[in-house]
Amino acid sequence: MAAISEAFRDGGFWMYIILVTSVIALGVTLERFFFLFFKFNMNAQAFMAQIQKLVMADNVDRAIKLCNAASSRALPHVIKAGLTRANKGEVEIQNAMEEATLEIVPKIQKRTNSLQTIANVATLMGLLGTIMGLIEAFEALESATPENRQRMLSRGIAMAMNTTAFGLIVAIPTMIAHLVLSGVTKKILDEIDMYSVKLENLLVTRGKGGPVE
C-alpha cells in the first residue's frame, strides 16, 4: 500500500486526472453492467417460444400480459408494441414495432461507447505525464546543479514511468469492459431485430388466415 501511495505521489498532477477517469470508467461500467445484464437482457428464445405458442392459440391478450410481466426488458417492450396492433394491417404492426425499437435502442446503447473514449483519455493522460516527466528529466541534466541533478532526474523519470503505468492500468480494464458490454449490447439488438421480424410475419400470416408455423 505504501508503494502504491509513493508511486501515486511520484506521478504528480497527471495521476489525479487519470484517477478521475478511472472513477468515471468504473461508474459507467457498473451502471451499464446492471442495465444490460439485469434489466434489458433475457432468455429471448424461451420468451419468444411462449409468445409464438400464445399467438398460434389466438390468445394475444395472454401474450401481451406476458410482455407486461417483463416490461423492463428490451425485447418484450418491442414485441408488445406489435401485439397491441395484432388485428391491424401489416404496415401498422411494422410501424408500431419500429417506433418501439427506436425508443429502446438509445437506452440500450447509452454510454457504452464512452468507455472506449475514457480508456483513450487515460492512455493519453499517461502519455502526457510521461512526456512532462521526460522534459523535467532533461531539464535536470541541462540546468540543475550537480547536487540537485540526481534528485530531479529521478523525479522526472519516476513521473514518466508511473503515469504511463497508471494510465495503462486504467485503460486496459476499461477497454475489456467496453468489449464485453458492446457484445451484450449487440446480442440484445440482434434479438430485437430478429424476433420483431418473426413476430411481424407471424401476425401477418395470422391476419390473413394462413397456416402459422
Side-chain angles (χ1 to χ4, degrees):
M1 196 69 182
I4 296 174
S5 177
E6 183 179 352
F8 192 88
R9 185 176 62 253
D10 291 341
F13 170 75
W14 307 104
M15 299 289 272
Y16 291 95
I17 299 178
I18 300 171
L19 179 62
V20 171
T21 64
S22 72
V23 172
I24 296 172
L26 180 61
V28 173
T29 299
L30 293 176
E31 186 265 349
R32 286 291 84 197
F33 184 88
F34 170 77
F35 275 91
L36 291 176
F37 280 90
F38 298 106
K39 186 172 182 181
F40 294 136
N41 197 20
M42 70 182 308
N43 188 336
Q45 186 175 2
F47 171 77
M48 284 307 299
Q50 291 180 287
I51 293 293
Q52 182 177 6
K53 184 178 178 180
L54 291 170
V55 172
M56 290 172 65
D58 204 24
N59 201 341
V60 175
D61 289 340
R62 284 274 312 271
I64 292 174
K65 289 179 181 178
L66 184 63
C67 292
N68 288 333
S71 58
S72 66
R73 311 291 178 176
L75 182 60
H77 176 79
V78 176
I79 296 303
K80 179 184 174 182
L83 291 172
T84 55
R85 302 292 193 281
N87 297 320
K88 305 293 183 180
E90 179 179 356
V91 174
E92 287 195 47
I93 294 172
Q94 184 179 27
N95 288 343
M97 286 196 290
E98 285 181 355
E99 182 179 344
T101 300
L102 291 174
E103 289 176 358
I104 199 68
V105 166
K107 297 177 182 178
I108 298 170
Q109 294 178 325
K110 184 170 61 174
R111 283 189 287 275
T112 299
N113 287 334
S114 66
L115 288 172
Q116 193 169 21
T117 302
I118 294 169
N120 290 334
V121 169
T123 303
L124 292 174
M125 288 298 102
L127 179 60
L128 185 57
T130 301
I131 293 171
M132 298 305 295
L134 291 176
I135 290 173
E136 184 174 325
F138 284 125
E139 286 179 349
L141 291 175
E142 181 179 335
S143 59
T145 60
E147 58 270 18
N148 291 329
R149 184 173 299 162
Q150 185 63 39
R151 179 179 57 82
M152 293 181 64
L153 183 61
S154 298
R155 188 174 65 184
I157 293 174
M159 177 188 293
M161 295 299 99
N162 287 323
T163 52
T164 299
F166 191 37
L168 293 175
I169 288 170
V170 173
I172 292 171
T174 303
M175 290 295 289
I176 294 172
H178 174 261
L179 181 65
V180 172
L181 294 174
S182 293
V184 178
T185 299
K186 185 177 185 303
K187 170 187 173 292
I188 295 171
L189 295 180
D190 287 346
E191 288 173 347
I192 289 174
D193 289 340
M194 179 174 66
Y195 288 118
S196 61
V197 172
K198 285 181 178 290
L199 180 68
E200 180 184 341
N201 293 335
L202 191 66
L203 293 176
V204 169
T205 303
R206 170 182 171 272
K208 292 179 179 179
V212 180
E213 298 181 358

